[in-house]
Amino acid sequence: MKGSVAMEATRRRAQHGANGKSSEEEGQPAQWGRAWEVDWFSLSAVIGLLCFAPFIVFYFVMACDQYQCSVSQPLIDLYQGETTLLSIWSRAPSFTWSAAKIYAIWVSFQVFLYMCVPDMTHKLIPGYVGGVQDGARTPAGVINKYEVNGLQCWLITHALWFANAHYFHWFSPTIIFDNWIPLMWCANILGYAVSTYAFTKAYLFPTCAEDCKFTGNVFYNYMMGIEFNPRVGKWFDFKLFFNGRPGIVAWTLINLSYMAKQQELYGHVTNSMILVNVLQALYVLDFFWNEAWYLKTIDICHDHFGWYLGWGDCVWLPYLYTLQGLYLVYHPVQLSSAHALAVLLLGLVGYYIFRSTNHQKDLFRRTEGSCSIWGSKPTYIECSYNSGDGGLHRSKLMTSGFWGLARHLNYTGDLMGSLAYCAACGFGHILPYFYIVYMTILLVHRCVRDEHRCSSKYGKDWKRYTDVVPRRLIPGVF
């Protein structure tokens, strides 16, 4: 009953935007957040991703397992008739109950850390913001509370990993690599299960009916999500848990397992593997150190929870974001000192731009503009917007510092770091460079999505802002 009331309310609100008039002309709050209506191009893209994304993951992992990380050789063999899809499938390791046990223990342990171990690190580490924090205001005007304990979960998990590797020896440090493909099937099961549960829950018992969005298209609803913040109980937030744990906590463990496998196979660890581990660990630690800030980003503030996040965080992230380390197990690369230094500098400069840009925005928000950016008082555009409950709110868009150079310079720094991960693998194969290609597409698309949302949210004020800061990623270019 509650779900049907929400559906009717969202249908009525969707009809207001379907008559060609803007929210200002109707006198209604701006419709910000995920799309209300789906065009044919978006629907085609959604169906394509639902059908082919799992096979893309399988293809890259299979290419390393069967073709020494060659992206083209499987296609050449298929074209020349030297292999078939069935033979490739039959040679791939299948689901195993031992992998299911490993995966179940892993996910259960992360749920336990997330739900049952209140954050203590914010009391012990100066400058770290953890514990119970407020999220951003949702389109319906709701402000959710979160238990921010990702850094603590990461530290406990890795402390146990190193304790096992050096003292307890409960399992081999290569356990993840040794079960990599069977674990992939387990991750797919969880990804589809949680996505389907969230989809069903949105219809039957949504956490906040006013923040649900029903487009009328089942494929789009399933992929992009209906509920904004699905929860079980008061604290288990699907979006925060699956965005951060278990996928991102696992990221550095996966790389450590790759490093252990390289040591086992070749008797040494290459400097390229060390670079990949260090640079990606820096990114992961930055994510958890700034988890409270992450609550105000597009992932939490804009995206609804569906297959895109549920399956993506369970499968796409841990399997495709770690391709560099996987490649280096099959193709160990010892970089020259100059090459290694260039990769390190690229990664560190990219991280500096990424972190400094985000820090400026966070400082500006926390002080409401009463701060110093590059030695001067920041300039900004003052905006107003309406939430779904009819409330009028004000916001400031900074036009100083890095944010005066480009509207998304933090993404530019992120892309520099992504390129560094790939360049650490040398230039022998295309496969390690999938990450920079994917991240470029993702972040450019995110720029467009974010700016469409901001344009809908702020209206004419957004146009004033883009007139002052005309470039998106590269100052003076794009």
Side-chain angles (χ1 to χ4, degrees):
M1 181 63 181
K2 186 178 179 182
S4 63
V5 172
M7 289 172 62
E8 183 60 30
T10 51
R11 286 194 193 101
R12 287 198 301 268
R13 281 183 286 179
Q15 288 169 0
H16 282 288
N19 58 12
K21 295 183 179 180
S22 69
S23 59
E24 290 181 352
E25 293 172 323
E26 287 289 329
Q28 297 294 326
Q31 293 180 355
W32 51 291
R34 181 174 68 68
W36 289 85
E37 297 176 341
V38 186
D39 56 41
W40 282 105
F41 177 80
S42 298
L43 178 59
S44 300
V46 163
I47 294 175
L49 284 171
L50 286 172
C51 293
F52 295 110
F55 292 101
I56 292 172
V57 176
F58 174 76
Y59 185 86
F60 280 104
V61 175
M62 173 276 301
C64 283
D65 182 61
Q66 299 182 27
Y67 290 89
Q68 288 294 300
C69 297
S70 172
V71 175
S72 59
Q73 195 59 47
L75 298 176
I76 293 172
D77 285 359
L78 285 168
Y79 177 77
Q80 295 178 345
E82 296 181 10
T83 190
T84 64
L85 291 174
L86 286 177
S87 65
I88 291 174
W89 179 265
S90 65
R91 291 197 301 269
S94 60
F95 171 89
T96 65
W97 286 109
S98 60
K101 179 181 177 181
I102 294 167
Y103 196 72
I105 291 172
W106 164 249
V107 176
S108 298
F109 181 59
Q110 292 306 310
V111 171
F112 169 76
L113 292 179
Y114 177 63
M115 291 293 295
C116 303
V117 185
D119 185 71
M120 298 298 296
T121 51
H122 71 284
K123 298 180 180 180
L124 304 173
I125 304 177
Y128 171 68
V129 178
V132 178
Q133 298 291 328
D134 288 342
R137 188 183 306 276
T138 72
V142 177
I143 297 178
N144 291 301
K145 291 189 178 295
Y146 297 84
E147 175 70 36
V148 175
N149 61 0
L151 180 63
Q152 178 174 273
C153 294
W154 189 91
L155 290 171
I156 292 172
T157 301
H158 285 70
L160 289 174
W161 176 274
F162 282 107
N164 168 75
H166 294 285
Y167 300 106
F168 300 124
H169 307 295
W170 294 321
F171 53 84
S172 168
T174 66
I175 188 173
I176 299 175
F177 177 88
D178 295 337
N179 294 275
W180 195 224
I181 296 181
L183 285 171
M184 181 177 68
W185 307 129
C186 300
N188 270 280
I189 292 171
L190 177 63
Y192 277 98
V194 72
S195 303
T196 303
Y197 175 79
F199 178 77
T200 306
K201 178 180 180 299
Y203 285 94
L204 301 180
F205 47 97
T207 302
C208 179
E210 292 77 13
D211 270 324
C212 289
K213 284 193 175 180
F214 300 87
T215 63
N217 186 284
V218 66
F219 296 107
Y220 192 88
N221 287 345
Y222 182 76
M223 178 174 176
M224 299 308 296
I226 299 170
E227 276 206 80
F228 197 71
N229 290 107
R231 292 187 166 202
V232 172
K234 181 180 179 181
W235 291 107
F236 190 85
D237 185 90
F238 279 58
K239 198 186 291 184
L240 183 61
F241 178 79
F242 285 100
N243 269 0
R245 287 91 71 187
I248 296 184
V249 172
W251 190 341
T252 39
L253 292 184
I254 293 166
N255 282 340
L256 288 171
S257 186
Y258 291 154
M259 182 183 287
K261 193 65 180 182
Q262 196 182 69
Q263 175 69 42
E264 177 185 286
L265 291 174
Y266 309 109
H268 68 280
V269 176
T270 62
N271 58 1
S272 56
M273 179 69 85
I274 293 172
L275 277 171
V276 168
N277 269 261
V278 169
L279 291 176
Q280 293 189 349
L282 181 64
Y283 182 88
V284 170
L285 277 171
D286 179 271
F287 173 87
F288 287 121
W289 181 270
N290 295 285
E291 190 174 24
W293 164 84
Y294 180 71
L295 298 178
K296 308 297 174 68
T297 63
I298 188 172
D299 291 345
I300 300 295
C301 299
H302 175 60
D303 291 334
H304 290 237
F305 188 87
W307 182 88
Y308 173 77
L309 290 179
W311 179 87
D313 289 327
C314 289
V315 183
W316 188 271
L317 187 156
Y319 276 83
L320 295 188
Y321 285 23
T322 61
L323 279 177
Q324 291 77 35
L326 181 65
Y327 170 84
L328 291 172
V329 173
Y330 291 92
H331 294 277
V333 175
Q334 184 67 25
L335 302 173
S336 67
S337 297
H339 189 160
L341 180 61
V343 168
L344 180 61
L345 288 176
L346 177 63
L348 292 179
V349 170
Y351 173 75
Y352 172 78
I353 293 173
F354 170 78
R355 173 46 38 217
S356 298
T357 306
N358 286 328
H359 173 70
Q360 287 181 357
K361 186 176 183 178
D362 183 53
L363 177 64
F364 179 81
R365 280 178 171 173
R366 285 189 287 107
T367 63
E368 295 186 349
S370 299
C371 60
S372 175
I373 301 295
W374 289 354
S376 302
K377 185 175 178 60
T379 58
Y380 56 86
I381 301 292
E382 187 154 3
C383 307
S384 61
Y385 66 94
N386 294 98
S387 55
D389 60 358
L392 177 65
H393 309 280
R394 297 193 178 279
S395 183
K396 296 181 177 70
L397 300 177
M398 183 167 57
T399 58
S400 295
F402 284 118
W403 296 96
L405 299 178
R407 301 196 292 266
H408 304 277
L409 206 65
N410 53 335
Y411 292 170
T412 306
D414 202 353
L415 289 173
M416 292 172 67
S418 301
L419 180 59
Y421 309 157
C422 303
C425 298
F427 307 104
H429 281 76
I430 296 174
L431 183 138
Y433 288 84
F434 168 82
Y435 186 70
I436 183 60
V437 174
Y438 165 73
M439 288 299 292
T440 300
I441 296 171
L442 174 72
L443 293 180
V444 170
H445 180 251
R446 180 169 289 192
C447 283
V448 175
R449 281 199 305 137
D450 190 32
E451 296 193 3
H452 176 75
R453 175 183 65 88
C454 289
S455 178
S456 174
K457 180 178 179 180
Y458 297 122
K460 293 179 180 179
D461 291 334
W462 179 252
K463 178 63 168 58
R464 292 168 53 214
Y465 170 69
T466 57
D467 287 342
V468 176
V469 187
R471 303 302 180 185
R472 284 173 168 161
L473 288 170
I474 304 175
V477 180
F478 172 74

